[in-house]
Amino acid sequence: MGSREVLGQAARLASSGLLLQVLFRVITFVLNAFVLRFLSKEIVGIVNVRLTLLYSTTIFLAREAFRRACLSGGPQRDWGQTFNLLWLTVPLGVFWSLFLGWVWLRLLEVPDPNVVSHYGTGVVVFGLSAVVELLGEPFWVLAQAQMFVRLKVIAESLSVILKSVLTAFLVLCLPHWGLYIFSLAQLLYTTVLVLCYVIYFTKLLGSAESNKQQSLPIFRMTDLLPSVTRSRAFVNWNEAKLTWSFFKQSFLKQILTEGERYVMTFLNVLNFGDQGVYDIVNNLGSLVARLIFQPIEESFYIFFAKVLERGKDATLQKQEDVAVAATVLESLLKLALLTGLTITIFGFAYSQLALDIYGGAMLSSGSGPILLRSYCLYVLLLAINGVTECFTFAAMSKEEVDRYNFTMLALSSSFLGLSYLLTRWCGSVGFILANCFNMGVRITQSLWFIHRYYGRSPHRPLAGLYLSPALLGAFALSGGITSVSEVFLCCEQGWPARLAHIAVGAFCLGVTLGTAFLTETKLINFVRTQFSGSRLADKTS
């Protein structure tokens, strides 16, 4: 398959994922906003920080390295060895679940049972749900490698919706159940997620015609199970070594990704109520990152990994593939920069209104608005970092990945210390400032790698980080107008004034997008080409 065909599949996966995720996330957004009005800040803090951290840490440590290593394999790989390697995530997940569950129950502060009931049950069930999710790992990797367009998005979105519906129902009907509610909802989420993949592949492999059309590397469901033969090794040792390299990196990356939750959990810098408010704002602020940036990053990581030869200089590879990769990277950087700047500029003037609509006075008063404004700046850095690391990790050699681990180690240490100091100095905003600092360092590392990678070639993909003066002026003018509008129209003057404030923002956003459409013609053509290709592929599939 040529680089342009792979690009078309990646764009198709990203665009389809984007549209479906927006639809499903709107539904869960409404349900979560409803649930928030029936919960205390303390129970939100325990569920969204303490228990979710247990689940995410177990999942991340058990599978992240395996995913990255197994998605980097070539088309001629022995899939039996790859599946054997992926099944090792299950016993690894059991180990981390038991160990971390013991830490959560024995070493950390236990909440008052009169305020948050059934904490022990919550720890056990959240750990169990992580192990259940790992049972679907071979199916997930195979689906990603085959670039199945809708399976991943539908499975995850359906699971999230059912989880949100069950949570809302139990909170409304059985509020005294406490953490039982969220434990059952979490277990339902992982069970449905795995079943979606199992049912899909069961039906697909049961149809000989579908199997031929998809060109799957397996023919029956038993091919996905662990197997031992004398003719080959149990696992591909190159994949296993790469997994170990990514594991060392993923351990450090998890500290950077969830660092503020670790600081809150282990150092007790905030009480459970403040942790709850911070996490709600964090989830709301990262909504766009999950909807837009994550599907793009995951899809185009596969594109770069398939098109470029890992660890090989750009001048020594097929120049058509290198040129296509450079064009895609430049366009993705431009898209990330424009999206991030839009969120930062307009998010500053509309943070308080968004929080008031979403969660009422519990969020819009106090530290909530300044937290969300700070997070808007962080989203800009997240957007750029997602694209740069997407390319960097796909092109790095194993040795370069190992060297990068040392940088991640330094970042992890500095992040934890900086988070603690900044939080002591300026409260929960300190977490976001520390994240911004570390994200900036990571972006710098990736940009330096990209600059060196294309240094001896005629391609300059980093030009995607430059904007025209007219567009920069439109952003600056929009930021000033919406800030003045917030002072006079939001948010104590009632709904007529709020609607006027929204109208001002809509007008400024339209002017800014129109300026971008006129000045960034190269990006517009790229998006239009890929979207048209995606729609055509959907019609013919």
Side-chain angles (χ1 to χ4, degrees), residues 232-462:
R232 57 172 169 81
F234 182 71
V235 298
N236 183 320
W237 288 107
N238 290 328
E239 283 185 348
K241 291 176 182 178
L242 187 59
T243 300
W244 174 242
S245 296
F246 277 127
F247 176 78
K248 292 182 289 185
Q249 174 190 320
S250 66
F251 184 83
L252 302 173
K253 184 179 178 181
Q254 174 68 2
I255 296 177
L256 293 175
T257 304
E258 302 280 9
E260 66 271 14
R261 287 186 172 88
Y262 288 117
V263 173
M264 284 188 282
T265 298
F266 289 94
L267 299 181
N268 297 322
V269 294
L270 299 175
N271 59 44
F272 291 127
D274 290 340
Q275 290 180 25
V277 173
Y278 173 83
D279 190 75
I280 293 171
V281 172
N282 180 62
N283 288 334
L284 185 61
S286 63
L287 184 62
V288 175
R290 295 195 302 269
L291 286 176
I292 299 177
F293 305 141
Q294 186 176 350
I296 291 176
E297 179 182 351
E298 291 179 350
S299 301
F300 284 95
Y301 171 79
I302 299 173
F303 163 72
F304 290 128
K306 285 179 174 290
V307 168
L308 301 175
E309 295 185 48
R310 180 180 294 277
K312 197 172 182 180
D313 189 84
T315 58
L316 302 178
Q317 301 192 43
K318 187 178 179 181
Q319 290 308 297
E320 181 186 356
D321 292 345
V322 172
V324 171
T327 301
V328 171
L329 179 58
E330 179 181 350
S331 299
L332 290 178
L333 285 173
K334 183 81 71 176
L335 181 62
L337 181 61
L338 288 177
T339 306
L341 273 177
T342 302
I343 293 169
T344 301
I345 297 299
F346 290 92
F348 187 87
Y350 291 88
S351 292
Q352 185 176 359
L353 179 59
L355 290 175
D356 191 66
I357 295 173
Y358 184 64
M362 181 182 77
L363 296 181
S364 61
S365 61
S367 62
I370 191 172
L371 276 173
L372 189 54
R373 291 187 182 108
S374 303
Y375 204 94
C376 288
L377 173 61
Y378 180 51
V379 168
L380 170 60
L381 300 177
L382 272 177
I384 298 173
N385 181 72
V387 173
T388 55
E389 285 196 347
C390 162
F391 177 88
T392 300
F393 290 142
M396 274 184 172
S397 65
K398 177 184 177 300
E399 292 73 21
E400 287 172 321
V401 172
D402 289 335
R403 286 197 298 269
Y404 190 80
N405 289 335
F406 290 102
T407 303
M408 296 287 278
L409 177 61
L411 283 175
S412 302
S413 303
S414 65
F415 173 77
L416 294 177
L418 194 61
S419 295
Y420 180 79
L421 293 175
L422 289 177
T423 306
R424 290 293 186 185
W425 175 47
C426 54
S428 51
V429 177
F431 286 124
I432 301 177
L433 297 178
N435 272 313
C436 288
F437 171 79
N438 283 277
M439 198 61 63
V441 176
R442 288 169 62 177
I443 291 172
T444 303
Q445 291 284 326
S446 296
L447 291 179
W448 176 242
F449 174 84
I450 295 170
H451 174 73
R452 287 190 295 108
Y453 188 86
Y454 281 104
R456 292 188 291 174
S457 75
H459 310 291
R460 295 294 178 264
L462 295 183

